[in-house]
Amino acid sequence: MTAPAHVLNLVRPSVPSERNLQPEEDTMHDNNTPQPLPVTEDELAEQHAVEAARQREEWPSLHDVADGGTVDLSSLWPRMEPERWDIDPAAVVELLAERAGGVANRLDAGVRSLLARRDGNTSVWIRPKPEEDLIEVVAWSAGGVWSQRAWWIRGILEVAADGYGEIRMSPFCATTFAIRGSGGTTVFTEDENGLIGRLLGRWYLGWLGRRAVREQLGYEPIGPEETALDMEEFLSPAPSGRTFTLTIVEGEQQHANGIDLSDADSPVSYTDLPDDVQQWLTDRGYVPERPDVWVLVTPVDELPEAVNVIDVWDVTV
């Protein structure tokens, strides 16, 4: 029995004829919208220079800092509101580096190193003051497994406990954070309202937890040290470092060995490279924002077996 025509119309969807369908690529630009032209290397370099000039003008205390110089962060953190209170302190430091540039990049790299450095490469000295609910903490590291970035940090933490077993640590007074990379050394200070002191409290709680686990399982202890390292000793000339080869390549390198300079595991950080090496990278078309030019890091004299090599440089860090 044949269903009435009006019933067929209800159950059979309308399908457009294939004759009326245009290939997808033919209809993408029917609105005649002009497509943006690709940015040239010169234009990208000019944009980079303009942004650097803006950062230098708006954040002068973070630029032209002498090697071993001191930067007081106390007056800078209020400029990072409301993010200062809304997001993780480490993320605020990263945001500061993006907005300000200069030695804020070294601060960002130092914070990431502090939070990621292995306990076996870190020394810690503590002095509890139970009568005042305070703990003085000094921690330092001469370098990690991959990165030779060194740092020294000191702060006094105020401890608060509530009835639910929660432990909170906050900076009681000024915190000092000295960071040394291949590009130089900067000492950062802040008052009790700063973010580095809050990060120190978070790091110290994590260190205590890992230490307790090692003790429970009978593993080799990881500290604390009997005496603290003075900052003046930390700031003394660093021993000679390791040498790596930087290879600038163009295009994706699927089968090349080596670690990309922007990778978190790279033993060399762009922000810690000496000025002449950064200029060498810029002159050869590399800027951090450009995705098609890579810098592969390998041990000295070990080339990464890459294609489209632009240039090579050996750097000691």
Side-chain angles (χ1 to χ4, degrees), residues 45-315:
E46 182 179 357
Q47 293 175 7
H48 188 70
V50 170
E51 175 63 11
R54 181 197 63 79
Q55 292 175 334
R56 188 181 301 274
E57 179 180 358
E58 296 183 2
W59 304 85
S61 63
L62 294 172
H63 294 265
D64 300 322
V65 179
D67 187 20
T70 299
V71 174
D72 188 352
L73 300 170
S74 303
S75 62
L76 301 184
W77 294 131
R79 298 179 60 183
M80 299 303 295
E81 295 179 358
E83 294 88 355
R84 176 186 181 187
W85 308 111
D86 294 341
I87 62 179
D88 183 83
V92 178
V93 174
E94 182 179 3
L95 185 60
L96 174 66
E98 294 176 359
R99 291 180 179 177
V103 294
N105 290 314
R106 179 168 296 150
L107 177 64
D108 178 39
V111 165
R112 288 186 283 111
S113 180
L114 168 70
L115 299 179
R117 185 63 49 85
R118 298 180 182 181
D119 292 330
N121 299 119
T122 305
S123 299
V124 183
W125 176 87
I126 57 176
R127 181 168 60 181
K129 301 178 181 180
E131 67 282 359
E132 301 177 69
D133 293 327
L134 300 176
I135 300 177
E136 181 179 0
V137 179
V138 179
W140 63 95
S141 175
V145 176
W146 279 99
S147 173
Q148 291 302 296
R149 182 177 297 105
W151 46 261
W152 181 98
I153 188 168
R154 176 192 177 273
I156 297 179
L157 302 171
E158 185 174 26
V159 182
D162 59 25
Y164 299 96
E166 183 73 20
I167 293 292
R168 295 182 177 86
M169 291 188 173
S170 56
F172 176 73
C173 57
T175 300
T176 303
F177 191 21
I179 306 167
R180 181 176 63 228
S182 59
T185 301
T186 305
V187 179
F188 298 93
T189 64
E190 63 177 19
D191 59 23
E192 68 276 10
N193 298 311
L195 299 185
I196 305 304
R198 289 165 56 188
L199 286 169
L200 175 61
R202 188 177 84 182
W203 174 87
Y204 178 62
L205 280 175
W207 180 84
L208 280 178
R210 295 189 298 273
R211 178 172 177 262
V213 171
R214 296 181 70 89
E215 290 180 349
Q216 289 176 342
L217 298 180
Y219 295 167
E220 182 181 356
I222 57 174
E225 305 295 330
E226 294 184 359
T227 58
L229 178 73
D230 292 333
M231 187 176 70
E232 290 72 18
E233 184 178 352
F234 170 81
L235 294 176
S236 61
S240 58
R242 296 179 295 172
T243 301
F244 296 90
T245 296
L246 306 184
T247 304
I248 306 178
V249 296
E250 187 170 10
E252 187 174 357
Q253 306 289 323
Q254 295 182 349
H255 304 292
N257 58 311
I259 303 177
D260 181 62
L261 181 64
S262 62
D263 194 285
D265 292 328
S266 172
V268 182
S269 171
Y270 174 81
T271 57
D272 282 336
L273 292 175
D275 292 342
D276 58 340
V277 180
Q278 291 191 14
Q279 188 61 51
W280 168 75
L281 291 173
T282 301
D283 292 342
R284 283 150 183 80
Y286 174 83
V287 290
E289 295 84 359
R290 183 179 177 184
D292 58 333
V293 174
W294 306 76
V295 178
L296 299 179
V297 182
T298 54
V300 61
D301 296 331
E302 180 183 315
L303 296 180
E305 300 178 0
V307 296
N308 300 328
V309 173
I310 298 176
D311 206 348
V312 176
W313 184 298
D314 291 339
V315 60

